[in-house]
């Protein structure tokens, strides 16, 4: 949806007695707002903190002495934008120069590309932690933290793994209030209807309508043991993706 259509839709909705904040929040939730490719200062602040550098270090290392004063002023305008202000040094120019500078000295698993500094980042909640017994401890709402993620996972939530061999792994699933039949015989997150314990494991359906939660070897696919046996499940959701966060995801 482009900016003009967005504005017209907002005007129509407000004239129809809808609250503008409600309309905007709905459009944001459903990814209907226009993409704003502004400079992400939070991305710059993150890398400056990791490298113990300042923006003045970047200017001194990158530009000629005769250019530095002017560049600092131009960068300040980008980091503290004013509506409709003219730009002779753009967000893309700054992002490109920063990427080249950062990659010269910051030792990261990922190369910093210019697009790290511009555009929107989608965030989802990390809502719990997986422990070594296959059980998930859920965070209270005020203890949850957000992680950046690929837009295709915008409707998902994350569980962080604390098991020693996979510490820090983020497992992504789509929240569910029902039993997902498509998740049978797959790796899932699910809840025991009786005990309310939330499990992570291989969902093994039984002929009596109940389930076993199995611990499977990821190397061989063989069953190591049973985490839970013959339980009723109130809901289940397949784990769709898992990854270790890098600079693009933290």
């Amino acid at each position: 949806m482009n900016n003009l259509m967005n504005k017209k839709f907002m005007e129509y909705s407000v004239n129809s007695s809808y609250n503008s904040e409600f309309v905007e929040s709905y459009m944001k939730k459903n990814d209907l707002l226009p993409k704003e490719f502004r400079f992400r200062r939070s991305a710059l602040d993150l890398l400056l903190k990791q490298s113990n550098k300042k923006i003045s270090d970047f200017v001194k290392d990158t530009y000629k002495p005769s250019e530095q004063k002017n560049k600092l002023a131009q960068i300040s305008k980008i980091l503290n934008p004013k509506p409709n202000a003219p730009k002779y040094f753009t967000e893309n120019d700054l992002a490109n120069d920063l990427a080249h500078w950062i990659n010269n000295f910051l030792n990261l698993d990922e190369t910093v590309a210019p697009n790290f500094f511009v555009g929107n980042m989608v965030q989802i909640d990390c809502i719990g932690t997986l422990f070594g017994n296959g059980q998930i401890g859920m965070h209270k709402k005020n203890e949850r933290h957000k992680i950046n993620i690929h837009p295709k996972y915008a409707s998902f939530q994350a569980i962080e793994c604390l098991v020693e061999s996979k510490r820090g792994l983020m497992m992504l699933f789509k929240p569910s209030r029902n039993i997902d039949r498509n998740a049978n015989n797959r790796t899932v997150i699910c809840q025991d209807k009786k005990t309310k314990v939330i499990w992570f494991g291989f969902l093994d359906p039984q002929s009596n309508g109940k389930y076993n939660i199995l611990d499977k070897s990821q190397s061989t696919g063989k069953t190591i043991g049973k985490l839970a046996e013959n339980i009723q499940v109130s809901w289940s959701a397949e784990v769709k993706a898992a990854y270790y966060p890098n600079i693009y995801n933290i």
Side-chain angles (χ1 to χ4, degrees):
M1 182 176 289
N2 61 37
N3 284 316
L4 180 59
M5 290 178 66
N6 171 59
K7 187 179 293 185
K8 292 294 184 183
F9 183 82
M10 289 287 291
E11 289 175 358
Y12 176 81
S13 301
V14 172
N15 291 336
S16 300
S17 76
Y18 287 98
N19 181 283
S20 60
E21 291 183 1
F22 168 78
V23 175
E24 188 167 353
S25 66
Y26 174 85
M27 293 173 70
K28 183 177 181 180
K29 182 179 179 181
N30 290 276
D31 198 28
L32 297 174
L33 288 176
K35 304 302 180 187
E36 297 183 82
F37 289 96
R38 293 180 298 180
F39 191 89
R40 291 196 306 122
R41 184 167 184 167
S42 59
L44 173 60
D45 290 341
L46 172 69
L47 294 185
L48 290 177
K49 184 177 180 180
Q50 286 189 0
S51 59
N52 196 28
K53 297 277 188 178
K54 297 179 180 179
I55 196 67
S56 57
D57 297 319
F58 160 67
V59 172
K60 290 177 182 177
D61 293 343
T62 307
Y63 305 109
K64 298 176 182 178
S66 59
E67 298 177 321
Q68 291 175 8
K69 184 177 179 180
N70 188 41
K71 287 299 180 186
L72 276 172
Q74 292 174 331
I75 292 169
S76 178
K77 289 180 180 179
I78 291 175
L79 300 182
N80 305 283
K82 293 181 180 180
N84 303 316
K87 295 177 183 177
Y88 306 101
F89 182 70
T90 68
E91 289 88 344
N92 288 337
D93 294 328
L94 177 58
N96 186 62
D97 290 349
L98 280 169
H100 282 87
W101 177 66
I102 287 285
N103 287 316
N104 283 330
F105 60 84
L106 197 57
N107 185 21
L108 296 168
D109 294 333
E110 297 282 335
T111 299
V112 178
N115 62 3
F116 176 69
F117 297 101
V118 292
N120 292 349
M121 293 295 286
V122 175
Q123 293 188 321
I124 62 172
D125 287 322
C126 179
I127 65 168
T129 301
L130 172 64
F131 295 92
N133 59 358
Q135 296 183 10
I136 294 173
M138 303 299 287
H139 300 323
K140 296 178 181 178
K141 283 194 175 182
N142 61 352
E143 296 174 343
R144 296 179 179 182
H145 65 277
K146 292 187 179 294
I147 58 173
N148 295 331
I149 201 68
H150 190 284
K152 69 180 178 179
Y153 298 119
S155 60
F156 283 51
Q157 292 179 331
I159 298 292
E160 183 177 6
C161 181
L162 281 188
V163 178
E164 185 177 357
S165 61
K166 296 179 180 178
R167 183 177 177 85
L169 184 71
M170 291 288 179
M171 299 172 295
L172 309 183
F173 70 101
K174 196 166 187 176
S176 174
R177 294 183 179 180
N178 304 304
I179 297 172
D180 181 2
R181 303 296 178 185
N182 293 324
N184 289 348
N185 296 309
R186 294 186 177 181
T187 301
V188 304
I189 293 169
C190 63
Q191 186 174 49
D192 185 326
K193 191 173 185 178
K194 182 178 180 180
T195 65
K196 306 303 180 186
V197 171
I198 297 177
W199 292 97
F200 169 83
F202 189 84
L203 190 62
D204 180 29
Q206 304 299 297
S207 60
N208 61 1
K210 295 185 179 181
Y211 295 86
N212 294 335
I213 312 298
L214 306 180
D215 186 8
K216 291 266 191 181
S217 168
Q218 293 197 350
S219 299
T220 65
K222 294 181 179 180
T223 300
I224 299 171
K226 292 181 180 178
L227 299 170
E229 187 173 4
N230 204 37
I231 65 170
Q232 283 187 302
V233 171
S234 56
W235 58 264
S236 62
E238 183 182 358
V239 175
K240 294 287 189 179
Y243 69 96
Y244 288 100
N246 53 42
I247 59 164
Y248 290 91
N249 308 114
I250 54 181

